[in-house]
Amino acid sequence: DITVAVPGSQLLVSDEYDFVQLNLADYGTATMTVENRGAVQAGTIRLASGEGVATLNVRGAGSTVVSDQLDLGNMGFGTLHIAEGGYVQNQVARAGRFAGADQPGSRLSVDQLYLGGQNTFAGGMARLDIRDAGHVEVAEQLVVWDDATVQLDDGQLAAASIDHDHGGEFYFDAGRLQVGTFAGELLNAGGTLAPGPAAGITTVSRHYFQLPD
């Protein structure tokens, strides 16, 4: 197991030219915990890319994990847990199993997020949970493949576009959903739907259902 916990400590995964790949539990079991304003930076971070079980915990304000790409559980069982104000930033995130942001101030920021697959095809199970004032921000596209689930219980999910047209599950029970384009049916069971930040409108491609308070 790896812990980056001394205030201000850093784990930089790089060669002499650039940041490189960090593999956690290709096989076997491993946990990485980043807390107390610790920081990890790598080119690509892969959790359980083989048949292992890997967990990445990012806890506390000022604790950060930054990478170009984050792969969770390609063949194994990978879990990302952001709590108590931790911050994770990636350009692309792909998930086999994905436990999202919870507790006030916790934040996941990505350009593209593919749940249960890659950008063009499905593969594996995935889950994104947002609760207790957690914040997930997707600058471009969130894709929910057929074996993926999004659960918005509290906090906020903001995305330029969400593709929910592949048979996956999308539960909007509470919290705030800010989206420009939503492909598929959207059922609002008790949350707040806000227009996309770019154009100030929300477009739902199929049906929008609003349950009574």
Side-chain angles (χ1 to χ4, degrees):
D1 292 354
I2 302 172
T3 301
V4 184
V6 177
S9 58
Q10 293 182 316
L11 173 60
L12 305 177
V13 185
S14 66
D15 58 21
E16 58 182 316
Y17 301 107
D18 205 352
F19 290 101
V20 296
Q21 184 169 301
L22 170 63
N23 291 329
L24 189 65
D26 281 352
Y27 298 91
T29 302
T31 299
M32 172 180 282
T33 299
V34 184
E35 57 189 359
N36 294 333
R37 302 192 305 278
V40 173
Q41 186 168 358
T44 297
I45 298 176
R46 288 185 172 173
L47 307 183
S49 59
E51 298 179 354
V53 177
T55 302
L56 174 58
N57 299 309
V58 187
R59 291 197 294 257
S63 301
T64 62
V65 173
V66 177
S67 66
D68 295 330
Q69 180 171 311
L70 177 65
D71 292 336
L72 301 172
N74 285 351
M75 295 177 62
F77 193 81
T79 299
L80 168 65
H81 187 213
I82 311 167
E84 301 170 18
Y87 180 70
V88 175
Q89 179 178 341
N90 322 102
Q91 293 179 359
V92 178
R94 302 182 299 193
R97 181 182 186 276
F98 190 88
D102 67 3
Q103 300 192 19
S106 300
R107 185 180 175 195
L108 170 65
S109 175
V110 298
D111 289 346
Q112 303 162 40
L113 177 57
Y114 307 109
L115 290 174
Q118 313 252 351
N119 57 334
T120 57
F121 57 89
M125 297 178 62
R127 183 177 182 90
L128 171 63
D129 291 310
I130 307 169
R131 55 188 181 269
D132 299 332
H135 187 131
V136 174
E137 180 178 347
V138 184
E140 298 174 14
Q141 185 181 43
L142 165 61
V143 178
V144 184
W145 287 104
D146 58 341
D147 213 2
T149 299
V150 174
Q151 181 81 50
L152 179 56
D153 285 328
D154 193 6
Q156 176 169 306
L157 171 59
S161 71
I162 297 176
D163 184 356
H164 177 231
D165 214 11
H166 304 284
E169 303 291 339
F170 194 98
Y171 298 105
F172 182 19
D173 295 334
R176 186 173 189 265
L177 173 63
Q178 183 177 23
V179 60
T181 302
F182 190 97
E185 289 189 347
L186 177 59
L187 172 63
N188 184 349
T192 299
L193 179 63
I201 61 173
T202 295
T203 301
V204 179
S205 69
R206 292 196 178 182
H207 299 97
Y208 175 69
F209 301 95
Q210 173 80 55
L211 297 186
D213 294 336

